[in-house]
Amino acid sequence: MQNIVILAGNIGQKPEARTTQGGTNITNFSLATSRPRLSEGRVLRDENGYRVMDTEWHRITCFNGLGKTVAEHCEKGIKVLVHGRIHYTKWTDAAGNDRYGCEIIAEKVDFLSRPKSAESENPELVDKDDEIPF
């Protein structure tokens, strides 16, 4: 049995880092993945001929050293490849209702593009292609 997730997408907002009372570093960020919308097995296109895309948002959590690296080097819009696992949680809110959540616990994050602030440093290393070949 395995619980493996691999996601490639764009970071939706600057990662948020915090430290628990026990000293564990935790970094959270949102990741957007997109895929073409299908109808009867065919890709839907808009009035201009562009593919209609469906975007899904994923909550990503990184711990300790990985979290520190993500917090220091990632910003909104950069492309990353996340390897991790799905984690489900259940809790009871203040009104006594059961609540459920899902997040991806990252075990590895690969940078597929550089932050815009780094583009001016070495522009030939920046990936200008918006398409991810998956």
Side-chain angles (χ1 to χ4, degrees):
M1 313 285 172
Q2 300 226 358
N3 180 354
I4 299 172
V5 175
I6 301 173
L7 297 170
N10 295 332
I11 292 181
Q13 61 192 10
K14 182 168 177 43
E16 297 177 5
R18 63 186 171 89
T19 303
T20 65
Q21 290 180 353
T24 302
N25 295 319
I26 301 174
T27 300
N28 296 300
F29 64 93
S30 59
L31 185 73
T33 59
S34 299
R35 62 179 179 79
R37 184 177 297 169
L38 300 177
S39 175
E40 298 177 7
R42 305 189 87 166
V43 174
L44 283 180
R45 298 197 177 266
D46 66 13
E47 60 276 355
N48 297 319
Y50 293 104
R51 292 184 296 181
V52 176
M53 302 296 283
D54 286 329
T55 301
E56 293 191 41
W57 290 92
H58 312 274
R59 294 184 321 168
I60 311 295
T61 301
C62 307
F63 292 98
N64 298 317
L66 178 60
K68 181 179 177 185
T69 300
V70 167
E72 289 176 358
H73 299 287
C74 289
E75 62 185 37
K76 178 180 178 175
I78 74 164
K79 292 174 178 46
V80 294
L81 182 67
V82 175
H83 298 255
R85 60 184 171 84
I86 298 174
H87 178 70
Y88 296 98
T89 55
K90 178 184 174 187
W91 69 96
T92 304
D93 66 12
N97 299 316
D98 286 342
R99 299 293 208 179
Y100 300 89
C102 178
E103 65 185 333
I104 306 301
I105 305 298
E107 295 169 358
K108 179 181 174 187
V109 176
D110 293 319
F111 303 100
L112 301 178
S113 66
R114 295 175 57 157
K116 290 177 179 31
S117 58
E119 286 184 11
S120 59
E121 296 172 14
N122 203 349
E124 67 273 2
L125 295 179
V126 177
D127 179 14
K128 300 289 186 183
D129 186 14
D130 280 343
E131 295 290 321
I132 298 175
F134 295 101

